[in-house]
């Protein structure tokens, strides 16, 4: 059968095959194919293997583009399963305070943090949010991200939360990155509900959740000390499931606060951050098959002083995924390769474990493992071309990325 695209003679091809997610020893058990090739028909991978194998399986005709990959490597397109990429405003003043020693809680108490972005986002029109977010998505695409999650959570009123989710829907048709929309009305308590958190939780459950559900695939809660309790988080996620959304959760970032146990109890696909997860939390994730989505760029930029115990999670048999946490506060980096570098150099993952965490396991975090996350026949051709060996991805800021393919098209 003739193919539309053949990329051959790649120095290294990492197909990162399933089954997904990859757990325990399988998290890092991948090897590069030398002299690799990938053939596609339109957006779909038809064959992947050595150049000789692929050439023997496919046909070429006048419409086939044949590219020589010598001197380059290829990995699946990165999946970024946790971002707050939709927002308005600017929090660089907060950065200055953080560099001078203020922590997350102090900044939030002084009216900064999430609430400062809420003020700006409520005032922004849908068009403004679309255009500002598109700029950030273009940066992510250049860093190899071909699929990403995008949360609401800077509206904290029904109209703005729905507007943010509609922005995600519009951006899905306007630029190459596929976006998965997540409703997180319980990201913070808005100023008009200060001291009335229970009333706000009722609003989230009774009004926002049903209004958001038609626009969101996922529901999420910031379950942590100073934000939402495990009991509130569980009630909110159960309401989300009832409305037709799938649950995921911010858990154990600022304190060991019960979020991982809530993730297991509600059947969350992913529990995210996990900087302070303890042994019982790890066991909860393992027994319920929850993906641990780790955000080392946030731990780094917030100067949390520690990173999630990724080695212990892998050893316990919890699938580990990586994400950037792009956001206006501590989410400074749009780069999955930077998250991979921190995973390797600050959390002791191998390059292969970090690559799995950014591709096939990140696809599992977003429940897209059947369609993306690996370069296998039948899957979507989303891929990153790298100058030299794939491990060059860890050379932060050295521009190792030579090209990004989404659905078979060079972006
Ligand atoms: O994942 N933890 C909650 N939300 C974000 C921070 C969002 C913000 O600071 O605006 C996070 O780190
Ligand atoms: Fe977050």
């Amino acid at each position: 059968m003739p193919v539309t695209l053949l990329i051959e003679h790649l120095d290294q091809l990492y197909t990162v095959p399933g089954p997904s997610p990859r757990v325990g020893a399988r998290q890092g058990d991948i090897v590069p194919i030398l002299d690799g090739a990938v053939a596609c028909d339109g957006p779909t991978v038809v064959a992947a293997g050595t150049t000789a194998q692929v050439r023997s399986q496919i046909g070429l005709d006048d419409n086939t583009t044949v590219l020589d990959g010598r001197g380059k490597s290829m990995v699946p397109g990165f999946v970024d399963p946790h971002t707050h990429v939709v927002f308005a405003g600017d929090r660089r003043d907060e950065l200055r305070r953080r560099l001078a020693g203020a922590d997350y809680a102090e900044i939030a108490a002084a009216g900064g943090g999430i609430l400062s972005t809420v003020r700006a986002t409520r005032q922004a029109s849908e068009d403004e949010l679309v255009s500002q977010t598109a700029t950030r998505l273009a940066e992510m695409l250049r860093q190899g991200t071909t699929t990403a999650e995008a949360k609401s959570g800077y509206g904290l009123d029904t109209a703005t939360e729905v507007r943010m989710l509609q922005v995600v829907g519009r951006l899905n048709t306007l630029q190459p990155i596929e976006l998965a929309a997540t409703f997180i009305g319980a990201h913070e308590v808005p100023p008009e509900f200060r001291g009335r958190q229970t009333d706000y939780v009722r609003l989230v459950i009774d009004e926002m959740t049903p209004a958001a559900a038609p626009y969101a695939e996922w529901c999420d809660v910031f379950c942590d000390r100073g934000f939402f309790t495990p009991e509130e988080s569980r009630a909110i996620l159960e309401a989300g499931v009832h409305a037709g959304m799938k649950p995921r959760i911010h858990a154990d970032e600022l304190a060991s606060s019960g979020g991982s146990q809530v993730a297991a109890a509600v059947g969350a696909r992913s529990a995210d951050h996990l900087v302070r997860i303890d042994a019982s939390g790890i066991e909860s994730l393992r027994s319920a098959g929850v993906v641990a989505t780790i955000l080392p760029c946030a731990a780094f930029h917030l100067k949390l002083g520690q990173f999630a115990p990724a080695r212990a999670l892998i050893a316990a048999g919890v699938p580990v995924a990586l994400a950037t946490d792009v956001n206006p506060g501590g989410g400074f980096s749009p780069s999955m390769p930077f998250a991979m570098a921190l995973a390797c150099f600050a959390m002791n993952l191998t390059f292969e474990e970090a690559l799995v965490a950014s591709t096939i396991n990140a696809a599992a975090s977003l429940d897209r493992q059947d369609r993306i996350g690996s370069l296998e026949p039948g899957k979507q051709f989303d891929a990153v071309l790298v100058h030299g060996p794939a491990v060059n991805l860890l050379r932060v800021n050295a521009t190792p990325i030579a090209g990004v393919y989404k659905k078979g098209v060079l972006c």
Side-chain angles (χ1 to χ4, degrees):
M1 183 190 50
V3 297
T4 52
L5 175 65
L6 169 66
I7 304 175
E8 60 182 354
H9 300 306
L10 292 155
D11 288 3
Q12 295 182 330
L13 168 65
Y14 278 96
T15 61
V16 197
S20 168
R22 285 181 160 264
V23 173
R26 286 189 70 246
Q27 172 99 31
D29 183 21
I30 54 170
V31 287
I33 296 166
L34 307 183
D35 191 15
V38 183
C40 307
D41 188 26
T44 309
V45 176
V46 173
T50 64
T51 298
Q53 285 166 345
V54 170
R55 280 254 174 193
S56 75
Q57 288 168 33
I58 60 159
L60 307 181
D61 67 12
D62 290 349
N63 295 320
T64 308
T65 303
V66 180
L67 300 176
D68 191 322
R70 265 175 266 242
K72 299 196 176 68
S73 300
M74 182 166 277
V75 302
F78 301 129
V79 178
D80 186 346
H82 184 138
T83 86
H84 304 257
V85 68
V86 182
F87 64 84
D90 183 327
R91 279 161 52 192
R92 270 167 277 194
D93 56 325
E94 184 179 303
L95 166 67
R96 252 174 253 113
R97 273 186 279 162
R98 199 174 320 113
L99 293 179
D103 71 13
Y104 197 95
E106 285 171 58
I107 288 169
I114 293 170
L115 291 182
S116 122
T117 303
V118 169
R119 287 190 290 276
T121 304
R122 283 179 175 179
Q123 283 167 19
S125 70
E126 192 176 311
D127 286 348
E128 284 164 350
L129 287 171
V130 165
S131 86
Q132 292 179 26
T133 305
T135 306
R136 291 187 278 271
L137 290 171
E139 285 182 337
M140 290 164 60
L141 184 67
R142 283 196 292 277
Q143 298 291 323
T145 296
T146 48
T147 302
E149 187 253 21
K151 300 181 196 291
S152 67
Y154 294 123
L156 310 186
D157 61 37
T158 303
T160 315
E161 287 293 309
V162 169
R163 185 158 79 248
M164 291 186 73
L165 295 167
Q166 288 171 330
V167 165
V168 176
R170 268 180 66 188
L171 284 162
N172 249 330
T173 66
L174 294 174
Q175 53 78 54
I177 296 179
E178 175 188 333
L179 297 172
T182 297
F183 164 61
I184 178 167
H187 195 198
E188 171 61 296
V189 177
E192 62 276 19
F193 279 88
R194 272 289 131 177
R196 295 193 297 129
Q197 178 147 337
T198 308
D199 293 343
Y200 183 64
V201 171
R202 282 258 60 89
L203 180 78
V204 171
I205 290 175
D206 294 342
E207 187 184 301
M208 279 189 205
T209 295
Y215 306 99
E217 176 179 347
W218 300 93
C219 58
D220 191 350
V221 180
F222 191 4
C223 177
D224 220 316
R225 187 180 61 201
F227 291 85
F228 294 89
T229 67
E231 295 71 28
E232 291 167 338
S233 300
R234 183 168 177 165
I236 290 165
L237 292 177
E238 284 174 349
V241 170
H242 182 72
M245 296 178 281
K246 294 178 279 188
R248 50 200 309 111
I249 185 169
H250 285 66
D252 299 321
E253 178 188 11
L254 306 173
S256 183
S257 45
S260 295
Q261 288 80 356
V262 174
V266 302
R269 169 53 69 118
S270 175
D272 299 20
H273 283 291
L274 307 177
V275 175
R276 323 271 180 192
I277 191 172
D278 59 14
S280 120
I282 292 176
E283 177 50 24
S284 295
L285 300 188
R286 189 206 58 79
S287 64
V290 180
V291 176
T293 298
I294 306 285
L295 302 94
C297 308
F300 179 75
H301 287 128
L302 293 172
K303 302 202 289 182
L304 294 185
Q306 77 189 79
F307 290 89
R311 283 254 63 90
L313 287 159
I314 291 173
V318 178
V320 168
L322 285 166
T324 61
D325 199 20
V326 162
N327 73 66
F332 270 152
S333 177
S335 169
M336 287 297 290
F338 181 49
M340 289 171 67
L342 286 174
C344 292
F345 295 110
M347 295 159 66
N348 293 318
L349 265 59
T350 65
F351 171 69
E352 286 77 12
E353 286 169 334
L355 183 59
V356 163
S358 305
T359 55
I360 191 94
N361 280 11
S365 174
L366 284 187
D367 197 15
R368 280 161 167 69
Q369 63 283 349
D370 295 337
R371 198 155 49 77
I372 56 169
S374 64
L375 294 169
E376 297 178 272
K379 283 215 172 170
Q380 202 164 289
F381 183 56
D382 295 356
V384 177
L385 198 58
V386 182
H387 291 294
V391 75
N392 273 349
L393 285 164
L394 301 183
R395 300 184 64 230
V396 175
N397 248 356
T399 56
I401 293 181
V404 181
Y405 286 87
K406 179 66 183 175
K407 290 189 187 168
V409 176
L410 184 63
C411 297

